[in-house]
Amino acid sequence: MTTHSNFGFLETEYPILFNIGKSAEYNLHKDPVTTLFKTRLFCEKLVDFLFEENWLAFPDNNNLSSRIHLLDVKDILPSNAKDLLNTVR
């Protein structure tokens, strides 16, 4: 039996994001700490994909906060997405 995932739309084109998101969902009530870890990992991989898609070099201070900030400055992230990524970070 297959279970539905809210991340199913990512399965074909971004299987890594799909697997991380599905794992976060699966562990939500069983192991919330794992879900937090997987959610953070999902954000990191998403930001990496955005850098790759937009041919951006990583900033000198290469941490998630700096990468999100650079995506914001380059107008790649809508403000609500930036806010969500910063909340998870």
Side-chain angles (χ1 to χ4, degrees):
M1 177 175 119
T2 5
T3 58
H4 172 74
S5 171
N6 289 307
F7 297 90
F9 67 97
L10 297 169
E11 187 171 15
T12 303
E13 196 167 351
Y14 300 101
I16 292 170
L17 290 176
F18 168 72
N19 287 328
I20 295 168
K22 187 175 177 184
S23 178
E25 280 180 321
Y26 177 79
N27 287 293
L28 180 61
H29 299 291
K30 298 173 185 166
D31 188 359
V33 173
T34 296
T35 294
L36 289 172
F37 171 77
K38 295 292 183 177
T39 304
R40 165 72 185 236
L41 183 60
F42 183 92
C43 288
E44 290 175 358
K45 291 294 181 188
L46 176 62
V47 166
D48 287 348
F49 281 127
L50 289 170
F51 267 78
E52 185 179 308
E53 276 293 308
N54 291 281
W55 297 79
L56 294 174
F58 289 111
D60 291 334
N61 185 9
N62 190 15
N63 58 45
L64 186 55
S65 178
S66 296
R67 286 184 261 157
I68 292 169
H69 177 72
L70 184 59
L71 290 171
D72 181 41
V73 168
K74 299 279 188 184
D75 286 329
I76 294 169
L77 281 178
S79 63
N80 60 340
K82 176 194 70 156
D83 293 342
L84 287 170
L85 289 171
N86 277 317
T87 297
V88 171
R89 177 184 59 79

